[in-house]
Amino acid sequence: MQLTRTKSEKTKQTMDEKLNSLRAGVLGSNDGILTVVGVLFSVAAATTNQFTIFIAGLSDLLACAFSMASGEYASVSTQKDTEKAVVEKERQLLKMDFEGELHAVQRHYMTLGVTEETAMAIARDLLTKKPLATVVSIKYDMQLGHYMNPWDAAFASLFSASVGGVFPLLAMTFAPAHWQWPATIIAVSVAVALTGYLSAVLGKGNVKTAVIRNVLVGIVTMFIHYYVGTLF
């Protein structure tokens, strides 16, 4: 039974792995935008000192980026551990209950409309050539040897959260004084509209709904934090 894979097969990312990194990136950028603008609006409503506003925003940007990265790393590491445990479980089942695994593969093909005899022939052929890869793929929709990479997700989240937070930070601290507030609102609205669009595309959702929802959330976030800032 051939269970080994070539180096190129091991290093080539699957679509699920790429989408996971993109998902982490989109979520990271959205969090970076909203958390940074929240702090900026609160601080700017309480003081007009530009240096104080900038330092507060920059500090929050860094804290958000590293927080998102560590959260993604922990989350995806847990997912990767679960995937490895599943593979090990199937490896043992192939040794202890090969017939049961064989019939599981057969039933899979029968649900696709293949006759019982043909399904059994396909199952025997697949379990002779690639037993572990076959059962993992059929029972869990996983590709053997391709696990979600926590480092990819962490770095994607770290980078995107930093980039997302830069939009409101630059608008609030470097725009002319009389353009400070409108420039930040516009920058945030455009940025969250973009993350809403990307999240809808990745999740195959309604783009218009996602964009409108994200913009509304951004506006509400800015309003709430501005109001909080005026209390001090």
Side-chain angles (χ1 to χ4, degrees), residues 70-91:
S70 62
E72 281 293 335
Y73 181 82
S75 175
V76 178
S77 292
T78 300
Q79 183 179 349
K80 182 179 179 179
D81 290 342
T82 301
E83 291 171 343
K84 285 187 172 182
V86 163
V87 171
E88 188 56 36
K89 172 187 173 184
E90 292 303 321
R91 194 191 307 275

Side-chain angles (χ1 to χ4, degrees), residues 10-224:
K10 290 180 181 179
T11 57
K12 186 178 180 180
Q13 279 194 324
T14 64
M15 183 57 70
D16 282 344
E17 290 172 299
K18 292 176 181 177
L19 286 176
N20 186 61
S21 295
L22 286 172
R23 174 200 59 78
V26 170
L27 290 176
S29 62
N30 205 60
D31 275 12
I33 295 163
L34 295 180
T35 56
V36 171
V37 77
V39 169
L40 287 173
F41 266 48
S42 294
V43 176
T47 179
T48 57
N49 187 298
Q50 287 296 102
F51 183 73
T52 299
I53 296 170
F54 175 75
I55 291 300
L58 180 62
S59 298
D60 185 69
L61 185 153
L62 294 173
C64 174
F66 282 100
S67 174
M68 287 295 297
S70 62
E72 281 293 335
Y73 181 82
S75 175
V76 178
S77 292
T78 300
Q79 183 179 349
K80 182 179 179 179
D81 290 342
T82 301
E83 291 171 343
K84 285 187 172 182
V86 163
V87 171
E88 188 56 36
K89 172 187 173 184
E90 292 303 321
R91 194 191 307 275
Q92 295 303 318
L93 282 174
L94 283 168
K95 295 177 181 177
M96 300 170 59
D97 186 21
F98 185 84
E99 285 299 313
E101 297 288 82
L102 182 68
H103 287 298
V105 176
Q106 179 194 29
R107 287 193 298 272
H108 167 75
Y109 283 98
M110 288 175 64
T111 61
L112 298 179
V114 179
T115 63
E116 183 177 354
E117 295 77 12
T118 303
M120 177 55 75
I122 293 173
R124 289 189 183 281
D125 182 57
L126 289 174
L127 290 191
T128 298
K129 296 175 179 176
K130 295 182 178 181
L132 187 57
T134 297
V135 294
V136 166
S137 173
I138 287 175
K139 295 175 72 173
Y140 301 98
D141 195 23
M142 286 171 48
Q143 240 182 289
L144 184 62
H146 286 275
Y147 306 109
M148 294 302 177
N149 191 321
W151 286 110
D152 284 349
F155 283 121
S157 189
L158 177 69
F159 175 76
S160 59
S162 300
V163 172
V166 163
F167 281 88
L169 182 62
L170 292 181
M172 177 63 78
T173 56
F174 291 103
H178 61 283
W179 278 104
Q180 190 178 61
W181 294 98
T184 306
I185 293 171
I186 292 171
V188 169
S189 298
V190 171
V192 294
L194 179 60
T195 58
Y197 169 80
L198 291 174
S199 64
V201 171
L202 290 175
K204 295 180 173 55
N206 186 293
V207 171
K208 183 178 179 181
T209 300
V211 169
I212 292 174
R213 179 174 59 233
N214 259 28
V215 172
L216 288 176
V217 168
I219 292 172
V220 170
T221 299
M222 288 184 280
F223 173 80
I224 291 173

